[in-house]
Amino acid sequence: MKTRVFTIGLAAILLVLAAGAGGLYAYDSSRSDVIARGITAGGVDIGGLSAARARDVLRRSLGPKLGEGVFVRWHQHGWRLRAADINARLGVNRMVREALRRSREGSFLDRAVRDLRGHKVRASVPLRVAHSPRKLHSFIDSVAKAIDRQAVSATINPSGVALNPTPSHDGIAVQRRFLAARILRQLRDPSSHHFAFVPTRTLRPHVSSSRLAYKYQTFITIDRAHFTLRLWKDLRLARSYRIAVGRQGLETPAGLYEINDRQVNPSWHVPNSAWAGELAGRVIPPGPEDPIKARWLGFYNGAGIHGTDEVSSLGTAASHGCIRMSIPDVEQLYTQVPLHTPIYVG
């Protein structure tokens, strides 16, 4: 008898529990479209709202802010990016789906008990904004077009009278990926001021002005028209010398060369030319018969800079293609001109 009573009691208890569980399940099912209390989306409290109501609240709360777009600034320049320019729109459906997913986590018993006891989920869904990447990149391209500047390397454009150096300049380039991220971050932050500075990076020239001066620590220019040799140090004029250049028909060759031969008290290797007469092809050692005095700085096909004791020829076109200097001048020049020094004959 006692066993029967126990069995009946247990069955009654189980029936009550089943009925209660069924009631909780039915209650939870009835709230499948309701967002749990405590959940926010884009900073807006949508807890306790139905999905349809939450979408409406999000549009009214966040839509006007998104519509302001973003103001982009670089120094004194500014650009207004409207939301419509990049098809920016609230992802309300996505936010509500995420909020419902967070609301439905756990078992139906947990959810039903949580709701009946008034507990909150404490979850935050970020503001979702959809946009056209192509239109955003097009906007950034227009900003970059106004800002980007190529770096300019330092160069020289020598003439007979000057080196004509062009100084280097740094360039600047918009960091496009970072700018896109900043713009989207402003659009997706409901508390932002919708303002973004344009990030840029400095472009360094391949050849800076200081690098150019280091490369051309020594340079020679020949001004044939005014019979002047100029010595340049670190792109600055260091000294000018009176010279003689090649006569008509045997002109000193114009162009850019480099010093490829340096000699002290050189011998004269007479060219095999008609003007040399019976001396053609001979080697005249240093002495009275050697017209190449004191020093030799060769630069092209037998042409070079040397001293002469015919100082009366300086300031004229008198040589057979070489550049003549007074002996003291060529001795002084020689000490300042290393091998491979560039020389421009103009």
Side-chain angles (χ1 to χ4, degrees), residues 271-285:
N272 283 310
S273 299
W275 62 262
E278 61 182 17
L279 295 177
R282 291 179 56 189
V283 176
I284 309 300

Side-chain angles (χ1 to χ4, degrees), residues 68-72 78-82 85 139 193-194:
E68 294 176 5
V70 178
F71 186 77
V72 176
W79 298 264
R80 170 67 69 181
L81 173 65
R82 298 173 302 171
D85 294 337
F139 170 77
H193 298 290
H194 284 208

Side-chain angles (χ1 to χ4, degrees), residues 12 22 29 95 142-143 158 247 259 283 303 345:
S29 298
M95 287 188 283
S142 67
V143 173
R247 67 185 63 173
I259 300 300
V283 176
V345 180

Side-chain angles (χ1 to χ4, degrees), residues 1 4 14 36 42 56 61 73-74 84-85 87 101 103-104 122 129 167 187 194 203 222 230 236 272 284 315 321 346:
M1 184 67 179
R4 184 178 180 183
L14 292 175
D56 181 60
S61 300
R73 189 180 185 92
W74 182 75
D85 294 337
N87 294 345
R101 179 178 57 79
S103 300
R104 304 300 293 172
R122 305 293 184 189
V129 176
L187 290 175
H194 284 208
L203 304 178
I222 305 298
R230 293 178 175 87
R236 293 183 173 85
N272 283 310
I284 309 300

Side-chain angles (χ1 to χ4, degrees), residues 105-125:
E105 291 175 347
S107 69
F108 77 90
L109 287 174
D110 293 333
R111 294 193 296 268
V113 171
R114 179 194 67 202
D115 289 346
L116 291 172
R117 298 183 67 179
H119 291 172
K120 296 182 178 180
V121 173
R122 305 293 184 189
S124 177
V125 175

